[in-house]
Amino acid sequence: SQQGEEDPQALSIQEGENATMNCSYKTSINNLQWYRQNSGRGLVHLILIRSNEREKHSGRLRVTLDTSKKSSSLLITASRAADTASYFCASVRAGGTSYGKLTFGQGTILTVHP
Amino acid sequence: NAGVTQTPKFQVLKTGQSMTLQCAQDMNHNSMYWYRQDPGMGLRLIYYSASEGTTDKGEVPNGYNVSRLNKREFSLRLESAAPSQTSVYFCASSEYFRGYTEAFFGQGTRLTVV
């Protein structure tokens, strides 16, 4: 099964609104990453948060990590139509034989209406 | 800066045919990955290679083989293609520096097995 589970599966908002996506994972992690994918193209890395960090910002992106709940959230503020894409969380496992393995959630499809 | 290059971009195979998907990265990364993405689903890990000379199975390895030819190249082989292997295949690479870094993705190979 997928290491990461995301919700909602789809999110539809108006330009200017904030978008929040959540991700849960199952095992201990080295870090958790968020990616964006436009229309079946390659994934583009957005932001990485390490297991000893609780919050990180990058431009209009804010990521939080709660290792006690094994969950993360991605907030996009002041959304734009160009933010329309699929967003995936991916976790890097810590330790054991799976060290370094990058495992993805099923993604959230975000639609931002002009 | 080429990053991660996958070939071919598109391929149609008949059931039972074999083919190799090629992937090369020019970022001197140690870790490389092969994923498949099916409609409405996230990326599922087929195989990964933590470093040159090592490979390990991911979530969905059946029907595939891989070769880490050198540090730059990681190929995925379908020995006897089946319709269930119709998918978009992505190659990615990453590095370990105080923990694993973000992954860089190729543009994908759209494979149809008829």
Side-chain angles (χ1 to χ4, degrees):
Chain A
S1 61
Q2 297 270 0
Q3 165 75 332
E5 299 294 335
E6 297 178 64
D7 78 272
Q9 291 187 337
L11 182 59
S12 182
I13 59 175
Q14 296 295 126
E15 245 184 351
E17 294 181 338
N18 295 340
T20 299
M21 289 160 264
N22 302 296
C23 169
S24 62
Y25 57 91
K26 297 178 181 177
T27 64
S28 296
I29 61 171
N30 174 284
N31 66 63
L32 188 138
Q33 305 173 26
W34 287 87
Y35 290 81
R36 168 189 168 132
Q37 183 181 40
N38 288 86
S39 300
R41 302 185 68 178
L43 277 73
V44 175
H45 178 261
L46 294 175
I47 193 166
L48 179 155
I49 186 166
R50 300 201 183 279
S51 60
N52 61 352
E53 297 175 314
R54 292 297 167 260
E55 186 171 314
K56 203 163 184 180
H57 297 255
S58 177
R60 294 185 295 113
L61 306 179
R62 172 178 169 255
V63 170
T64 62
L65 180 66
D66 187 336
T67 53
S68 66
K69 295 181 180 178
K70 292 187 168 57
S71 66
S72 174
S73 66
L74 171 69
L75 169 68
I76 304 174
T77 60
S79 63
R80 307 165 180 166
D83 294 330
T84 294
S86 294
Y87 292 82
F88 296 91
C89 70
S91 55
V92 177
R93 297 186 184 186
T97 58
S98 297
Y99 187 69
K101 186 187 292 187
L102 183 63
T103 309
F104 282 80
Q106 293 185 327
T108 294
I109 301 171
L110 174 65
T111 303
V112 182
H113 299 282
Chain B
N1 293 335
V4 179
T5 303
Q6 288 182 236
T7 55
K9 289 185 170 53
F10 299 94
Q11 184 72 49
V12 178
L13 289 179
K14 294 182 179 179
T15 298
Q17 286 185 319
S18 63
M19 78 162 295
T20 300
L21 280 64
Q22 307 286 353
C23 176
Q25 51 93 6
D26 61 3
M27 294 169 285
N28 204 35
H29 287 169
N30 277 306
S31 298
M32 297 186 73
Y33 311 81
W34 275 106
Y35 293 90
R36 61 175 288 172
Q37 184 177 33
D38 300 298
M41 299 185 70
L43 278 73
R44 292 185 291 171
L45 184 63
I46 304 172
Y47 272 92
Y48 76 112
S49 171
S51 62
E52 185 180 356
T54 68
T55 61
D56 203 355
K57 296 178 180 178
E59 301 168 70
V60 289
N62 291 343
Y64 305 96
N65 286 301
V66 290
S67 295
R68 184 73 184 267
L69 303 170
N70 47 54
K71 193 172 185 179
R72 289 188 64 247
E73 299 172 288
F74 189 38
S75 63
L76 179 71
R77 183 161 178 83
L78 287 70
E79 291 291 351
S80 179
S84 61
Q85 294 178 305
T86 293
S87 189
V88 181
Y89 291 84
F90 290 100
C91 176
S93 70
S94 69
E95 188 50 82
Y96 182 87
F97 179 70
R98 300 178 190 171
Y100 275 83
T101 66
E102 70 269 27
F104 292 82
F105 281 79
Q107 287 301 299
T109 296
R110 293 185 177 276
L111 175 67
T112 302
V113 183
V114 298

